[in-house]
Amino acid sequence: MESLGVLMLDPMDDYLKQELGRRFQLLRLWDAPPDRHDDFLRANAESIRAVVTGGGSGADAALIDALPGLEIIASYSVGVDRVDLPRCRERGIRVTNTPGVLTDDVADLAVGLAIAALRRIPQADRYLRAGQWKDNGDYPLTTRFSGKRVGIIGLGRIGLAIAKRGEGFDCPVSYYQRRDLAHANYTYYPTVVELARNSDVLVVACSLNEQSRRIVDREVIEALGPRGVLVNIGRGGHVDEPELVSALVDGRLGGAGLDVYADEPDVPEALMALDNVVLAPHMGSGSLETRTAMADLVLGNLEAHVLKKPLLTPVV
Amino acid sequence: MASSVTARASGGKPPQALLLLRRCDAAFHSALQQRFHVLDFFASGEPLPAFLAAAAAAPEPPRAAVVMGGGVVRVDAAFLDAVPSLRCVVGTGAGVDHIDLDECARRGVAVANSGRVFSADAADHAVGALIAVLRRLSAAERFVRRGLWPLQGDYNLGSKLGGKRVGIIGLGNIGSLIAKRLEAFGCVINYNSRRPKESVSYNYFPNVHDLASESDVLVEACALNKETRHIVNKDVLAALGKDGIVVNIGRGANIDEAELVKALKEGTIAGAALDVFENEPKVPAELLSMDNVILSPHIAVFTSESRSDLRDHTIANLEAFFSGKPLLTPVFPNKVSHIAGKSN
């Protein structure tokens, strides 16, 4: 295989790093201290034909412009909201992501967060470990998950997988997205507010773009209401985070199960102080099996590019 | 003397006397007192023998009793001797291991349990706890709350649920709901019960050891009785293996707790989600510092919805009994499943 110069933006995953090093000419941006990144890019610009990035790092216009030889950006994620796609289109740079392989894990975590939030699984665990079962008696009653109305924003691969799991719990499923899919089993709502008003659990499962930024705003949060639960396995940018925090503190929203935040890895202090939220550190795709499959997809896309074969999972 | 509010008589007949041996919330109390002449053990403040003797000596001694589990009262020969008027005992828990079913059957005392009132919540908790242990949700939550995410980077990877072989011990009301839910996650369902169930397509195993050998996850969801005490023992844990996960939403005594703790300490199995323990509320200290276990204080069935369903269901069984109709959810000896009659 011809030696493709690949720039990896951050360590992400050991297996991916090893394989990139084995199969290509790997350059690691983190070998240079943060204030020397520009120098590093300048020094290596000519040889870099590919960039491997993650959902959080993305690839902005500044990076793309610094690499005149760039042909392909392979993201180790399904979300590419931080990759400047218009700039890539202008330059003829291909972009790939990792859809499909992580669908099950992300859907599993979404449902896991919903059950954890309603049934207070982590909170009850903390209660027990703190000796409260002995000292204070039984944990208070929680709220049933089965049969609750599940509303999904975005009925793509992940949204459909969540819907299927919801059916296993006899949850009536409804959804919002721009297009009514006329699905036999799931009810369509033409606005997010109406979806929220008719849901007990609202799940964000769409991609982040201009239309969906802050799609969960104060109006949606209040429509979901004091007994409603928000689950976010999309992007922090989908939700007006200060409004979310304020609604949870005030009791205008019943609870939340969150895997993503506006400014990862920083989670607002006010959220950490709450007992009606479950907080996960962006681990929707975080199983060994899935991360390996994601890495293989990144590698497969790069190899297809080198061999001038059709890319496996192109976005651009 | 046990106190009670005189119930409104219906149709001119005086309300039937009912022994109540359960701590109830206000709504439950009120619903019972509206329909029956309630002799309330916990309200009486008397020791059990005195309370039962007084009830038996009343002009209209009680023919039915509502009895909670959890080690408070055991309905055995002595209990039944103390109140010979009893013809019906209604348990209010998912388990009826506090009721001597053989003794009741011998005396022609009908026993009812809570039927499917708790089944969905128990199944939901089992699935939620399984996801939490495989995906390390509880430990990751602690990681976030301790402020470690910005300092240490991403949390450890967990293990994928999809494709896992889940072995369910006991395919009754709860076990079958767990199976239905996990199928939607792409799990393969194996099970053990006393007899294979013709109506399901899951893989049957005649004993728990073989079930464990062919499973990645073992879910204990059967009732506790003589045959099922320590049904998950050292051999079964070894057969499950070093990547195996144990979920217990049955009774603590279904599992040899000492062997389970040892297996977790030594890495004989990978993790566990435990809602019940042999000596509640005591939990083995070694478990409290483990990140690969999900611990919960016997909460699997306790939602506000199941509380109100239980109230309605208990009253429905009592009204059936008192009007000479069959109980909605009778229990017979030597039946591990939670409902009698046709399998679902």
Side-chain angles (χ1 to χ4, degrees):
Chain A
M1 176 137 329
E2 88 189 65
S3 64
L4 181 76
V6 177
L7 175 68
M8 197 177 185
L9 297 189
D10 56 70
M12 282 184 295
D13 178 81
D14 281 348
Y15 166 70
L16 177 59
K17 201 172 41 170
Q18 257 162 241
E19 285 302 305
L20 286 171
R22 215 169 53 74
R23 305 184 204 191
F24 306 109
Q25 285 283 97
L26 180 63
L27 288 157
R28 304 154 18 143
L29 186 60
W30 66 92
D31 280 343
D35 58 344
R36 305 295 298 276
H37 279 182
D38 286 343
D39 294 335
F40 184 93
L41 291 176
R42 249 192 301 276
N44 292 288
E46 272 171 31
S47 52
I48 295 172
R49 291 166 55 203
V51 161
V52 171
T53 185
S57 317
D60 61 11
L63 175 72
I64 294 167
D65 290 347
L67 302 172
L70 187 58
E71 296 166 8
I72 180 168
I73 298 173
S75 190
Y76 179 69
S77 69
V78 66
V80 286
D81 42 282
R82 295 205 171 178
V83 176
D84 192 332
L85 299 178
R87 189 61 128 236
C88 291
R89 285 190 192 97
E90 274 170 37
R91 287 264 310 267
I93 295 168
R94 308 301 306 277
V95 178
T96 67
N97 64 349
T98 62
V101 293
L102 47 60
T103 300
D104 285 339
D105 267 1
V106 176
D108 292 352
L109 187 67
V111 177
L113 283 170
I115 300 175
L118 284 169
R119 301 297 305 277
R120 306 236 159 175
I121 292 178
Q123 297 92 322
D125 192 340
R126 279 201 292 280
Y127 181 87
L128 189 157
R129 287 179 204 243
Q132 307 263 47
W133 195 14
K134 274 189 283 199
D135 297 342
N136 274 349
D138 288 337
Y139 196 78
L141 294 181
T142 58
T143 303
R144 175 174 295 165
F145 176 62
S146 275
K148 287 293 187 300
R149 300 165 303 167
V150 171
I152 305 173
I153 303 175
L155 208 65
R157 277 174 291 252
I158 295 174
L160 275 170
I162 294 169
K164 177 174 173 216
R165 284 151 178 74
E167 286 190 271
F169 293 85
D170 300 317
C171 292
V173 175
S174 49
Y175 68 101
Y176 161 81
Q177 54 174 52
R178 276 172 299 172
R179 199 163 57 93
D180 180 353
L181 296 174
H183 199 289
N185 296 349
Y186 313 140
T187 304
Y188 177 71
Y189 285 98
T191 69
V192 185
V193 173
E194 278 175 77
L195 178 69
R197 197 169 289 134
N198 291 282
S199 299
D200 302 305
V201 178
L202 184 67
V203 185
V204 182
C206 58
S207 60
L208 182 64
N209 51 44
E210 269 164 48
Q211 292 83 33
S212 63
R213 196 166 292 277
R214 300 206 162 188
I215 198 171
V216 178
D217 57 14
R218 183 183 178 124
E219 205 192 345
V220 169
I221 290 167
E222 292 192 342
L224 187 52
R227 284 194 301 274
V229 169
L230 177 72
V231 172
N232 192 0
I233 45 87
R235 286 287 180 265
H238 281 120
V239 175
D240 183 336
E241 196 164 89
E243 277 299 335
L244 172 67
V245 174
S246 148
L248 285 165
V249 169
D250 292 347
R252 287 177 287 117
L253 178 64
L258 306 173
D259 189 42
V260 288
Y261 310 85
D263 195 21
E264 297 169 17
D266 291 316
V267 176
E269 281 295 326
L271 274 183
M272 307 243 242
L274 294 173
D275 201 47
N276 57 342
V277 298
V278 175
L279 304 171
H282 201 154
M283 50 188 220
S285 61
S287 76
L288 184 57
E289 297 90 330
T290 292
R291 291 288 171 85
T292 304
M294 286 165 63
D296 286 341
L297 206 43
V298 167
L299 296 162
N301 273 302
L302 291 175
E303 286 180 348
H305 175 72
V306 164
L307 295 172
K308 300 198 191 335
K309 292 205 176 115
L311 299 180
L312 304 177
T313 48
V315 177
V316 171
Chain B
M1 191 62 214
S3 66
S4 71
V5 172
T6 306
R8 287 195 296 278
S10 57
K13 276 177 27 199
Q16 301 272 8
L18 173 71
L19 279 186
L20 177 64
L21 295 107
R22 179 191 166 82
R23 290 181 219 281
C24 296
D25 59 28
F28 205 156
H29 260 124
S30 162
L32 290 173
Q33 283 160 353
Q34 279 169 26
R35 292 164 175 80
F36 309 108
H37 173 57
V38 179
L39 305 170
D40 186 335
F41 170 58
F42 287 104
S44 76
E46 286 169 9
L48 185 62
F51 171 79
L52 294 180
E60 299 276 358
R63 292 168 55 227
V66 172
V67 187
M68 69 187 288
V72 172
V73 177
R74 193 159 168 74
V75 178
D76 53 12
F79 185 98
L80 296 167
D81 282 341
V83 196
S85 55
L86 280 183
R87 308 310 301 149
C88 175
V89 175
V90 178
T92 57
V96 287
D97 40 288
H98 61 298
I99 299 177
D100 186 333
L101 298 177
D102 290 316
E103 196 55 47
C104 288
R106 233 192 307 281
R107 296 164 190 244
V109 174
V111 178
N113 66 3
S114 56
R116 295 185 217 209
V117 159
F118 295 114
S119 303
D121 287 330
D124 293 353
H125 179 94
V127 173
L130 176 57
I131 296 173
V133 67
L134 280 173
R135 301 295 300 276
R136 303 181 188 256
L137 183 56
S138 217
E141 237 252 339
R142 288 194 290 274
F143 176 79
V144 170
R145 284 172 185 275
R146 282 188 200 130
L148 296 176
W149 193 13
L151 300 178
Q152 293 185 10
D154 286 342
Y155 194 64
N156 302 330
L157 296 180
S159 178
K160 184 176 168 140
L161 174 59
K164 289 276 189 297
R165 301 163 304 166
V166 177
I168 304 176
I169 305 171
L171 205 69
N173 286 335
I174 298 175
S176 52
L177 291 183
I178 293 173
K180 175 185 169 195
R181 281 147 179 69
L182 288 178
E183 272 195 304
F185 288 83
C187 294
V188 172
I189 306 295
N190 301 327
Y191 74 103
N192 163 260
S193 59
R194 283 172 330 113
R195 268 178 292 282
K197 310 233 165 184
E198 274 147 32
S199 53
V200 303
S201 57
Y202 312 135
N203 308 311
Y204 175 73
F205 290 83
N207 64 71
V208 178
H209 178 100
D210 291 350
L211 180 71
S213 302
E214 296 299 316
S215 300
D216 306 302
V217 177
L218 199 60
V219 180
E220 180 2 80
C222 72
L224 179 64
N225 54 44
K226 283 190 296 287
E227 290 93 40
T228 63
R229 185 168 192 283
H230 285 196
I231 198 172
V232 177
N233 57 22
K234 180 178 175 156
D235 283 341
V236 169
L237 293 169
L240 182 61
K242 65 174 185 53
D243 294 322
I245 304 286
V246 169
V247 177
N248 192 359
I249 48 110
R251 283 285 177 270
N254 285 121
I255 299 186
D256 183 334
E257 193 162 276
E259 287 297 336
L260 176 65
V261 173
K262 189 155 176 277
L264 285 163
K265 267 170 57 177
E266 295 174 0
T268 309
I269 63 170
L274 307 172
D275 188 51
V276 286
F277 305 87
E278 292 210 70
N279 244 311
E280 297 170 14
K282 285 211 284 261
V283 173
E286 298 97 316
L287 297 178
L288 300 179
S289 55
M290 291 183 186
D291 273 348
N292 57 337
V293 302
I294 300 292
L295 302 171
S296 51
H298 204 147
I299 58 169
V301 302
F302 292 118
T303 63
S304 46
E305 289 90 341
S306 72
R307 180 58 59 85
S308 89
D309 290 347
L310 174 67
R311 182 177 68 234
D312 296 341
H313 181 84
T314 301
I315 286 171
N317 264 315
L318 289 169
E319 289 184 333
F321 168 71
F322 283 124
S323 55
K325 299 202 180 94
L327 295 175
L328 272 61
T329 53
V331 188
F332 305 103
N334 296 322
K335 252 193 129 36
V336 177
S337 63
H338 283 228
I339 52 163
K342 299 183 183 27
S343 55
N344 45 319

